[in-house]
Amino acid sequence: MIQSIQKVSEMKEAMKGKDFLTLAEFSTEEIHYLLKEAVELKKLQKQGIPHEELKGKVLGMIFEKSSTRTRVSFEVAMLQLGGHALFLSSKDIQLGRGETIEDTAQVLSGYLDGVMIRTFGHETIERFASASSIPIINGLTDTHHPAQILADLLTIMEHKGELSGLKAAYFGDGNNVAHSLIEGAAKVGMHFTIACPPGYEPDEAIVSKAKEVGKETGAVITVTVDPFEAAKDADVIITDVWASMGQEEEQEAREGVFEPYQVNEELCINANKKYIFMHCLPAHRGEEVTSEIIDGSHSVVYQEAENRLHAQKALLKLLLKS
């Protein structure tokens, strides 16, 4: 027990001040501890017990991409933790325009206790973090969406009681959500299959690294073009929009390519009878998922959305707390 307490203390100390750019940069133990903290913080909120552990702390939130869930969840998270969140639109600051990314990072490091960034290129957030002296959190880039996947793992754990050994299947584009799901599943020992059309596969380097991690955790990572193969016996069915933000001009062309990967009743009949359906939202009903599925008894999309708040509170608490 003493060794266990000491290990937790060392892990918490190691996470303090750390950047959160991808799930690949966090250990299995750290991810599980974040989820444990999220469960406890959710209980406190539901019971109406104050937990202002970041009193006096200020989080800057830089948005180059618009958002509903990311902005509201991070802002409310800081408020409930006793801190403050400062919204910084890319239209109102000099990030990457009249001032270098590195200069902006160093200036904001003198004002704030942490920065959450929702942007396009992943290189932007990497450059920002390399020049910053405060924790930088990835609210979304074109390559990764780790904050969302923390909430997804929390949701799966709440419904299934465990993560290791489960089978999750994702249908659609090998995008930022898919990349972070691959990384998260590998870390927690959850089997993960992504079904996508040729030419839309996830990044090979991310898949390869996740497979190596899976050798240690027991996770099997699979990429296939067959949606019915992916759905077979799945405990978790996941999808995302076919054209992400910034890909709107590809929408019509993608609809024809991705139609066989729609999550519908015919596909889900192959899944475990007690499967849960997840979508990070917003959803395009009738495209990547039918209304019968997203509004059906297996759907947990609104709990998943709420869990953004609780997972991010855990993240903020552990990264920003003095």
Side-chain angles (χ1 to χ4, degrees), residues 39-318:
V39 169
E40 293 305 313
L41 289 166
K42 185 173 183 177
K43 286 179 183 177
L44 292 176
Q45 188 209 351
K46 297 299 184 183
Q47 294 169 5
I49 300 173
H51 43 285
E52 298 183 342
E53 302 191 45
L54 293 183
K55 198 165 186 177
K57 300 286 186 178
V58 181
L59 176 74
M61 304 190 304
I62 298 175
F63 285 86
E64 290 194 306
K65 281 190 174 185
S66 58
S67 165
T68 299
R69 279 150 290 275
T70 298
R71 178 177 177 180
V72 175
S73 58
F74 270 104
E75 196 160 338
V76 172
M78 283 302 292
L79 178 65
Q80 292 184 356
L81 288 168
H84 180 72
L86 182 64
F87 175 75
L88 301 169
S89 167
S90 61
K91 297 176 182 178
D92 302 323
I93 62 175
Q94 298 299 321
L95 180 65
R97 298 190 302 171
E99 185 172 60
T100 67
I101 292 171
E102 289 77 10
D103 283 353
T104 301
Q106 291 189 63
V107 168
L108 293 183
S109 292
Y111 300 143
L112 304 167
D113 299 290
V115 174
M116 184 281 297
I117 306 178
R118 184 177 169 94
T119 187
F120 291 88
H122 194 74
E123 180 192 7
T124 297
I125 200 168
E126 289 180 327
R127 288 175 59 190
F128 199 100
S130 68
S132 175
S133 59
I134 56 177
I136 306 303
I137 297 171
N138 184 356
L140 175 142
T141 67
D142 286 343
T143 314
H144 296 277
H145 199 357
Q148 173 66 55
I149 274 49
L150 268 186
D152 290 358
L153 294 176
L154 175 61
T155 307
I156 296 168
M157 192 170 68
E158 286 178 332
H159 281 270
K160 298 298 182 181
E162 60 183 350
L163 295 170
S164 179
L166 292 176
K167 179 182 178 183
Y170 172 95
F171 303 85
D173 191 21
N175 60 13
N176 49 6
V177 171
H179 288 156
S180 289
L181 279 166
I182 288 168
E183 292 178 336
K187 289 286 183 175
V188 300
M190 183 166 62
H191 306 310
F192 186 83
T193 301
I194 173 170
C196 52
Y200 294 90
E201 297 92 347
D203 183 272
E204 287 184 12
I206 291 174
V207 173
S208 178
K209 187 174 180 179
K211 286 181 176 180
E212 288 300 311
V213 172
K215 291 177 181 178
E216 300 294 326
T217 64
V220 176
I221 309 299
T222 306
V223 180
T224 180
V225 297
D226 187 343
F228 291 95
E229 175 192 333
K232 184 173 174 55
D233 299 323
D235 300 293
V236 186
I237 297 286
I238 312 170
T239 192
D240 190 15
V241 294
W242 290 340
S244 298
M245 197 176 298
Q247 299 173 330
E248 288 81 4
E249 72 282 356
E250 301 177 29
Q251 178 69 36
E252 188 173 344
R254 282 173 172 252
E255 285 179 9
V257 174
F258 283 97
E259 186 177 359
Y261 298 86
Q262 182 189 70
V263 176
N264 51 39
E265 291 183 340
E266 182 184 3
L267 179 74
C268 292
I269 200 170
N270 295 295
N272 184 306
K273 291 182 179 180
K274 295 184 178 180
Y275 80 89
I276 57 173
F277 169 75
M278 301 175 68
H279 191 307
C280 65
L281 303 179
H284 294 170
R285 292 163 179 262
E287 291 181 16
E288 71 271 10
V289 60
T290 62
S291 291
E292 288 79 9
I293 295 296
I294 198 169
D295 293 329
S297 60
H298 295 277
S299 177
V300 297
V301 297
Y302 301 117
Q303 180 182 343
E304 177 187 5
E306 180 194 332
N307 277 341
R308 287 289 302 274
L309 170 63
H310 309 299
Q312 287 159 193
K313 279 164 76 172
L315 185 65
L316 291 165
K317 173 186 171 182
L318 291 170

Side-chain angles (χ1 to χ4, degrees), residues 24-39:
E25 297 162 35
F26 278 65
S27 69
T28 297
E29 291 76 20
E30 287 173 330
I31 292 172
H32 278 295
Y33 193 75
L34 279 165
L35 296 174
K36 177 178 177 292
E37 283 290 319
V39 169

